Amino acid sequence: MERIYQGETPAEVTRRLRQAKGYYITNTARDMSQSDYKNRILLHTDLLAAPSRERAGYFSLEITGGASIHVDLLRKQVDPFVKLQLMRQAMPTTMFQTLCRGVNLFGYRPYPQNVIRLTVREFAPYVDVWRTFDFLNYVPNMRAVFEEVALAGKINEPCICFSTGPEHTDEFYVGKVREILDVTGPDIILGIKNHGGLGTPKRIGQLVDALKQNFPDLSVHYHGHNTDGNDIGRVVAAVLHGATIIDASDAAFTGFYGPPPVLTIIQTLKDEGYEAIGIDEDAIIETSDTLTSQRPYYDQFESQIRGFQPTVQTHKLPGGAMGSSLEQAAKGGFLDKVPEILNKELPRVQRELGNYWSVTPGSQILWTTAVANVLSGERYGNPSGDLKNLLLGKYGPFPFYQPEEWIYQKVLGDDWRHVLETEGGLHENPDVDLAQEKAELHEKMGSEPNNQQLVLYLQHPKDAIAFFKFQEEYGMVHVLPPSIFFKRGGFEIGESMYFTDPQGKEHIVEFGPSPVDDTGVTRVFMNVDHYQRVYNFQPERQTSQNNQASVKLSKEEILDLASAGDVRAPFSGAVYEITVKEGQEVLKGDRLVVMEAMKMQTPILSEVTGIVTGIAVKTGGNLHTGDRILKIDLV
């Protein structure tokens, strides 16, 4: 049987999958980048691999979605839409796949319905397969995406998120699939999202068998991670029990926390009598040969802890969160605490919070809660805003059981029952005024935005604006190879670097002097393709953004100051939003600012009634614990 090509209708694709004698392969390049390289694999590298990946004959290439869209803007300075456009030029016949978090889209919290629908409509021309999940397996949270994908004529791949424990039975998952099919109809692919690489091969085989027994015409796509080194066994078991599509990635870049290597799976299943449909093994080998030379440039982004982790069966932290979580631990100076967090506190928190699925944004809630519990020494004493929203049911109902009452009391306060009664329930996100949002974006950008820029802004406002301004000043730096983009150690005067851009055009960059003037501004002189460029860089701030040395304050001292109107940062993080102005009257309990740390947003509320007389922070600024945020004069 031949491969499936980009442009075939969902009905034709699902028909061919049902008739398949063998199995198809999805190359999950995006997941590999996220899990083992903190999402830093550059577009330049993906374009180098594109010709051989195109010939390889994959069912699809997962090249966007998840956290990659945020990191494209934040760390790689590439427009996610431009990436898809260039990749489509290089790979015209391969279907592109995305990972979508349902109501959370490509972000970390629920979005309004019209934002969800606009986002799907803008990405749909470039994305053929929409793998959609919800971290609570709550089907209504995925419905808007399902509907818009179907309207766009693209392929829906709803997921059931898999985990282990007494509640995670075949009967439960079969029931979830029935719920999904009642919404989508039969022309879908069903994804099993085993994001943590959990369970044994036998367990995955049992689940696939149960699904095929109940839904014989349903095509099953198994996705897993190799965190414990055992996902090849799970993949084989899935295919032996009826899965039609499996996930893997290029051997040259596979690490410890992402998908297993493609060729190893092909060779193993071939010995079992199963052929990979449409696959060109020589092209797969050529891809890895191409990528081998690129891997050394990414070593700085590989995990701080390397090696397989069979303990994932206990702590359940997904592959996609391992790298970023360990990076946060290293930057936060608590890497030595990670064994205690992973092997003791995280499993405990997960059981206490309902044994739901540890996948974004739920995995961040579990991780940040476990970290706060260990570092502060007070369990649930420093809850994030997202943990509060979880307990309030803002993300959806707990699938199995609710946390015990003492946790509600610790997180929501002594009047938690009243809070739960008056504030509990799903997020009722009213539709935003898209025209007004676009006008505000126009004002911030200084130019008329298009709908693609609008959807990026609606999900990641601060980082999207920073990217647009960066691109306006520095151009499209995605043309740079990793050898230049990630070069460490600086540049020597007179040093020259040569590279070829994705269109095959050769460039030269020559480095001149970098004098520092009396104000501390560094002027960097460069020749780019023989044209001189001068870039000015402000000196790095050595203290917190309010230009005062960070003050070490205890939790009690911060609360005492807040009661006097002196609002301080309760933890280290960034200022996501300022919701008050100087001269504004605020009441006790009013939201003052929103801080963001580890992708979680926490509102800082006023402890007093008074007048805001001074704001010491700016949106996007970084704060340390104890830094002043604002001053309120009591009335």
Side-chain angles (χ1 to χ4, degrees), residues 304-451:
Q304 282 76 6
I305 298 176
R306 302 184 186 183
F308 294 116
Q309 286 203 25
T311 53
V312 71
Q313 302 299 332
T314 301
H315 63 69
K316 301 183 181 180
L317 191 66
M322 285 297 301
S324 58
S325 297
L326 294 174
E327 182 180 35
Q328 291 160 1
K331 290 181 177 179
F334 60 92
L335 199 58
D336 61 315
K337 299 286 187 182
V338 165
E340 179 184 355
I341 294 168
L342 285 181
N343 300 321
K344 294 182 179 179
E345 185 61 21
L346 190 55
R348 187 179 177 188
V349 167
Q350 187 161 64
R351 289 192 300 271
E352 290 171 345
L353 294 184
N355 198 21
Y356 66 78
W357 296 268
S358 182
V359 63
T360 305
S363 53
Q364 280 91 342
I365 296 173
L366 293 169
W367 168 258
T368 53
T369 301
V371 169
N373 288 354
V374 169
L375 297 187
S376 71
E378 182 183 359
R379 303 193 74 241
Y380 298 100
N382 296 278
S384 68
D386 295 274
L387 174 58
K388 294 177 181 178
N389 284 335
L390 176 71
L391 295 181
L392 289 170
K394 298 298 185 183
Y395 291 100
F398 284 95
F400 304 119
Y401 57 87
Q402 289 184 288
E404 294 183 12
E405 291 184 356
W406 70 268
I407 295 177
Y408 280 93
Q409 182 177 16
K410 193 78 173 180
V411 174
L412 301 178
D414 291 337
D415 60 343
W416 65 271
R417 286 188 175 85
H418 176 72
V419 173
L420 195 60
E421 182 180 346
T422 57
E423 300 180 24
L426 278 170
H427 263 298
E428 295 182 3
N429 279 341
D431 284 353
V432 298
D433 186 330
L434 294 175
Q436 181 180 338
E437 294 288 340
K438 200 168 189 178
E440 291 179 2
L441 178 56
H442 185 179
E443 182 179 350
K444 293 175 181 178
M445 288 177 58
S447 59
E448 181 66 29
N450 57 39
N451 279 350

Side-chain angles (χ1 to χ4, degrees), residues 15-224:
R15 183 190 67 79
R16 294 183 60 184
L17 289 172
R18 292 180 188 122
Q19 297 174 351
K21 304 298 182 183
Y23 66 97
Y24 292 88
I25 300 174
T26 287
N27 185 321
T28 46
R30 184 229 37 105
D31 207 349
M32 175 196 65
S33 175
Q34 178 167 335
S35 299
D36 286 306
Y37 302 93
K38 303 179 178 72
N39 254 319
R40 297 308 209 286
I41 304 300
L42 297 179
L43 172 60
H44 191 281
T45 298
D46 282 321
L47 287 170
L48 278 180
S52 52
R53 280 177 174 166
E54 168 77 347
R55 293 196 306 275
Y58 293 117
F59 170 77
S60 60
L61 175 71
E62 188 185 88
I63 197 61
T64 189
S68 73
I69 288 171
H70 187 206
V71 181
D72 282 348
L73 299 170
L74 182 64
R75 303 295 184 200
K76 296 189 286 186
Q77 282 71 50
V78 60
D79 187 321
F81 289 100
V82 170
K83 177 171 78 172
L84 287 167
Q85 292 162 8
L86 293 175
M87 288 297 294
R88 175 54 69 213
Q89 292 173 17
M91 301 181 68
T93 66
T94 301
M95 292 197 296
F96 288 165
Q97 180 171 303
T98 189
L99 180 69
C100 179
R101 298 161 178 164
V103 73
N104 304 303
L105 285 174
F106 306 120
Y108 314 105
R109 54 202 50 86
Y111 293 98
Q113 289 289 300
N114 63 340
V115 172
I116 296 171
R117 294 179 184 279
L118 175 65
T119 300
V120 176
R121 288 197 296 270
E122 290 301 316
F123 274 95
Y126 310 100
V127 178
D128 307 287
V129 182
W130 287 73
R131 175 180 282 169
T132 305
F133 73 94
D134 179 73
F135 81 96
L136 293 174
N137 272 333
Y138 187 56
V139 176
N141 280 348
M142 300 184 276
R143 182 162 195 152
V145 176
F146 295 162
E147 291 173 353
E148 288 299 324
V149 169
L151 287 171
K154 301 297 182 175
I155 299 167
N156 263 313
E157 186 179 308
C159 287
I160 50 171
C161 296
F162 174 78
S163 189
T164 54
E167 303 85 8
H168 297 266
T169 63
D170 289 344
E171 291 75 18
F172 173 82
Y173 290 115
V174 167
K176 279 295 167 186
V177 174
R178 286 200 178 94
E179 286 184 48
I180 290 170
L181 291 171
D182 285 344
V183 175
T184 63
D187 286 336
I188 64 165
I189 300 166
L190 177 76
I192 297 176
K193 183 171 171 55
N194 189 7
H195 39 276
L198 302 177
T200 62
K202 179 180 178 180
R203 175 70 190 99
I204 294 302
Q206 289 173 339
L207 175 59
V208 174
D209 184 63
L211 295 174
K212 294 298 290 184
Q213 291 289 339
N214 283 272
F215 312 101
D217 291 333
L218 189 61
S219 297
V220 175
H221 187 165
Y222 173 77
H223 163 81

